[in-house]
Amino acid sequence: MPKSKPNIARVDPHTPESGLFKVRPKNAPRLHAEEFITVVETEDGPLEIKYATPYALNHVDLRIFLAAVGMCSADPEALAQNDTEPAQKGLWDKFLTKGIATNMPAAKIKTTSYALAKAAGIAWGDRQAQRISDSLEKMASVSSTWRKGSKVTSGSQMLSFAHDEDSRELVIAISPHFAKAILGEANRYIQISLNEMRELKHPAATVLHMVISSRLGLGGKRKEREMFINIDKLAEACYGTAKNAEQTRQRRKQIAAALEELHQLDYWFTTYNPDTHKVHIHRTKPDNTHLEDMMKNVEKIEKELNKED
């Protein structure tokens, strides 16, 4: 069991772009069936990944998922190879969690719901244990289908879990489809800073942080750490498609506020031009070598920001 809060979460490169986690209205119904499809180009051809969920997953669920992933990443013993006695069984026999994540190699962690809340940057309260169970239950209901040509595998949960809300004991097992990325053994994965995530307060900032970390390829070999993008595309990634012009205007305000939060993080620089709706995002390395490059290209950045789409 990790004794300190994890610093990073390694996530497969598909989930951040799937649209599974979004900012939801406070009065949004819990039951809301959705399906998301993302296509990834691989050396052997396109890989189609479909996520299906009966529940709407929000930014708090995202924080809990990333925290759980980070706790698995921080534990060198987190890979369960053909466990004959799943860790859940020792916790709660009659409610033994079933599923692929406990019967195949999976990333797992034995912890407490209090530690998970702290890792997620969520304040602890009287009903927080039940809220964490609710969040994990929603994610345990997500299934995924992976298709490459005529080969299809389906039915994998994102995770399975067992939780005693009185003692706060908690065991989480994350699907084998995600496990290799979590443990840094996959060819490709996205590295998300949980230290940064815990500093963010705006709901959209949590989702943006994951999406932008993915698009900048943080944790990978890419040297380029900047992007130009229309603010409406960022809003769609956080909220979904806008229904009308007024909703578009309101979401632009929310995304601008979220970008300002990101700008306050170390090594993050964001600039928004409300006239063209263009956003420039630059994530420098700790040695600031990319910052020097950015300062040399101020004119180019301004020109791009002022350009109409």
Side-chain angles (χ1 to χ4, degrees):
M1 183 186 298
K3 293 183 170 57
S4 58
K5 290 185 286 190
N7 298 321
I8 61 166
R10 298 188 190 97
V11 183
D12 70 285
H14 324 303
T15 303
E17 299 292 338
S18 67
L20 193 59
F21 297 96
K22 286 189 173 70
V23 179
R24 312 283 182 174
K26 289 184 178 179
N27 58 351
R30 184 172 184 267
L31 275 172
H32 181 70
E34 292 181 305
E35 189 175 87
F36 304 95
I37 297 176
T38 182
V39 178
V40 182
E41 291 299 328
T42 70
E43 292 179 358
D44 326 354
L47 170 66
E48 180 186 278
I49 304 168
K50 178 169 65 178
Y51 298 88
T53 174
Y55 302 110
L57 299 179
N58 61 27
H59 70 285
V60 178
D61 300 319
L62 172 60
R63 294 178 83 99
I64 290 171
F65 175 67
L66 291 176
V69 166
M71 294 175 90
C72 289
S73 302
D75 183 359
E77 304 301 321
L79 188 61
Q81 293 282 5
N82 301 318
D83 273 354
T84 55
E85 293 290 322
Q88 285 95 329
K89 190 171 183 179
L91 171 63
W92 209 347
D93 235 3
K94 65 178 180 177
F95 290 111
L96 175 63
T97 303
K98 304 289 185 183
I100 192 170
T102 59
N103 296 321
M104 291 176 63
K108 70 176 185 179
I109 192 73
K110 185 173 182 180
T111 183
T112 65
S113 46
Y114 178 79
L116 181 63
K118 290 299 181 185
I122 297 172
W124 189 258
D126 291 340
R127 300 192 67 249
Q128 200 56 264
Q130 294 94 321
R131 292 190 185 102
I132 285 175
S133 288
D134 179 74
S135 178
L136 292 172
E137 179 192 351
K138 289 194 288 182
M139 286 183 275
S141 299
V142 175
S143 65
S144 61
T145 300
W146 301 56
R147 172 184 285 276
K148 183 177 285 187
S150 61
K151 297 177 182 177
V152 186
T153 177
S154 185
S156 172
Q157 300 164 298
M158 284 187 77
L159 56 81
S160 58
F161 76 101
H163 185 201
D164 184 332
E165 293 170 354
D166 290 331
S167 70
R168 303 177 187 174
E169 288 180 278
L170 173 66
V171 176
I172 301 172
I174 297 177
S175 161
H177 281 309
F178 304 95
K180 283 193 174 182
I182 289 167
L183 298 166
E185 296 178 357
N187 292 330
R188 291 182 60 214
Y189 59 84
I190 304 303
Q191 191 162 287
I192 297 172
S193 169
L194 297 180
N195 291 333
E196 292 175 349
M197 183 195 75
R198 286 188 285 266
E199 290 186 41
L200 301 171
K201 306 301 179 188
H202 196 292
T206 300
V207 180
L208 269 186
H209 182 252
M210 175 189 67
V211 171
I212 294 170
S213 294
S214 171
R215 295 190 182 182
L216 293 179
L218 300 186
K221 297 178 181 179
R222 284 179 54 185
K223 295 181 180 180
E224 194 64 37
R225 300 293 185 199
E226 71 173 335
M227 61 187 288
F228 293 92
I229 191 169
N230 188 292
I231 197 170
D232 293 335
K233 290 183 179 179
L234 294 176
E236 186 172 358
C238 286
Y239 295 96
T241 305
K243 295 178 180 177
N244 50 53
E246 176 58 25
Q247 195 171 68
T248 296
R249 284 192 290 271
Q250 291 302 318
R251 288 180 176 180
R252 284 172 180 168
K253 290 180 182 177
Q254 295 299 317
I255 295 299
L259 287 168
E260 182 57 34
E261 262 200 25
L262 287 176
H263 187 76
Q264 299 306 313
L265 297 175
D266 290 341
Y267 316 121
W268 284 79
F269 298 86
T270 67
T271 311
Y272 171 49
N273 185 338
D275 296 325
T276 62
H277 309 302
K278 279 280 191 71
V279 176
H280 175 249
I281 301 165
H282 198 114
R283 181 26 165 110
T284 72
K285 287 187 174 181
D287 60 9
N288 282 331
T289 53
H290 286 80
L291 177 59
E292 294 172 8
D293 293 339
M294 187 180 76
M295 296 308 294
K296 292 175 184 176
N297 293 309
V298 170
E299 284 188 28
K300 184 193 82 172
I301 293 169
E302 289 180 349
K303 185 178 179 180
E304 190 66 33
L305 283 170
N306 291 326
K307 189 190 300 181
E308 297 280 354
D309 279 335

